[in-house]
Amino acid sequence: SYDLTQPPSVSVSPGQTASITCSGDKLGGKYACWYQQRPGQSPMLLIYQDTKRPSGIPERFSGSNSGNTATLTISGTQAMDEADYHCQAWDGSTGVFGTGTTVTVL
Amino acid sequence: QVQLQESGPGLVKPSGTLSLTCVVSGGSISSSNWWTWVRQPPGKGLEWIGEIYHTGSTNYNPSLKSRVTISIDKSKSQVSLKLSSVTAADTAVYYCARINDILTGRPFDCWGQGALVTVSS
């Protein structure tokens, strides 16, 4: 099976930049998506096709994908960005989610 | 604005069958999108269960394939999930979501609020 690995947690100070990685074999050859899940809420699409933001998603969220690693970057992190973040990709016709990362804004 | 609403029993006995329904409103269930189920055990990450197209075509997570059936009822605009032979490990919040096939990378762009299912005697 195909696995996507994320760090369990990332801490960031308000206004600083947070980077969350998602590692998988040849992930750069697939398209990565990112989802934000605030406590008690459903996931929400943040990034698709590695770098694209749906309408309404702030510009401070950006993505990249190369080699074996996709990265979600939060620039100018705000308190409201404290949440779980999940990467996701397709391995053929099978959907795969990453292990999830909790972002804490200290 | 498409909305998804999951419903079903919140408690299922071990070895029984979990059954959930997702009603699609605000848009056509027969549009060029796939409909999918994702689950999240308490305190854990997301797990993809499977997907269905309005034609009835399905794809399942290989780890669950022997126990999962996803079906679609276009007349009721709903997608259903059945998971058989459940154990405590199947306790989770189950989400229904839309896969946007128009966007490259097939993102999950619309999610229901989720339904908590507990497996316990």
Side-chain angles (χ1 to χ4, degrees):
Chain A
S1 64
Y2 189 78
D3 297 321
L4 294 174
T5 302
Q6 300 177 233
S9 61
V10 168
S11 297
V12 59
S13 300
Q16 298 304 301
T17 297
S19 294
I20 304 164
T21 57
C22 174
S23 299
D25 186 46
K26 299 181 176 66
L27 180 56
K30 308 177 189 297
Y31 288 114
C33 300
W34 290 92
Y35 303 86
Q36 179 192 63
Q37 185 178 27
R38 293 194 173 107
Q41 296 188 15
S42 303
M44 177 183 70
L45 178 64
L46 268 186
I47 297 286
Y48 68 97
Q49 196 182 333
D50 298 335
T51 63
K52 298 189 184 303
R53 283 177 288 105
S55 173
I57 300 301
E59 291 183 7
R60 66 178 182 275
F61 292 97
S62 62
S64 64
N65 186 16
S66 179
N68 295 320
T69 304
T71 302
L72 173 69
T73 301
I74 312 174
S75 303
T77 305
Q78 300 181 8
M80 66 187 300
D81 300 330
E82 191 161 278
D84 290 332
Y85 292 83
H86 309 274
C87 63
Q88 180 262 322
W90 288 94
D91 180 36
S93 58
T94 299
V96 181
F97 283 95
T99 48
T101 299
T102 299
V103 170
T104 302
V105 182
L106 299 171
Chain B
Q1 179 83 359
V2 171
Q3 292 187 316
L4 307 175
Q5 178 75 52
E6 305 92 341
S7 63
L11 182 64
V12 181
K13 294 187 186 306
S15 78
T17 297
L18 178 159
S19 296
L20 292 173
T21 297
C22 171
V23 174
V24 178
S25 60
S28 173
I29 199 170
S30 298
S31 60
S32 299
N33 296 298
W34 289 68
W35 307 94
T36 188
W37 289 94
V38 175
R39 70 180 182 178
Q40 184 173 36
K44 296 189 178 180
L46 302 171
E47 180 180 30
W48 182 75
I49 298 171
E51 62 177 353
I52 189 166
Y53 197 56
H54 65 83
T55 57
S57 295
T58 54
N59 292 303
Y60 296 129
N61 187 326
S63 68
L64 297 169
K65 188 174 183 177
S66 63
R67 299 194 291 131
V68 173
T69 301
I70 297 176
S71 58
I72 191 166
D73 186 333
K74 289 183 282 186
S75 67
K76 296 181 178 178
S77 197
Q78 66 185 34
V79 178
S80 297
L81 168 70
K82 291 189 185 300
L83 181 65
S84 63
S85 304
V86 298
T87 69
D90 295 309
T91 293
V93 174
Y94 286 76
Y95 294 100
C96 174
R98 181 181 74 175
I99 299 170
N100 192 319
D101 245 7
I102 297 175
L103 299 179
T104 301
R106 308 187 73 223
F108 299 57
D109 71 341
C110 183
W111 295 69
Q113 88 288 349
L116 174 62
V117 179
T118 301
V119 178
S120 175
S121 55

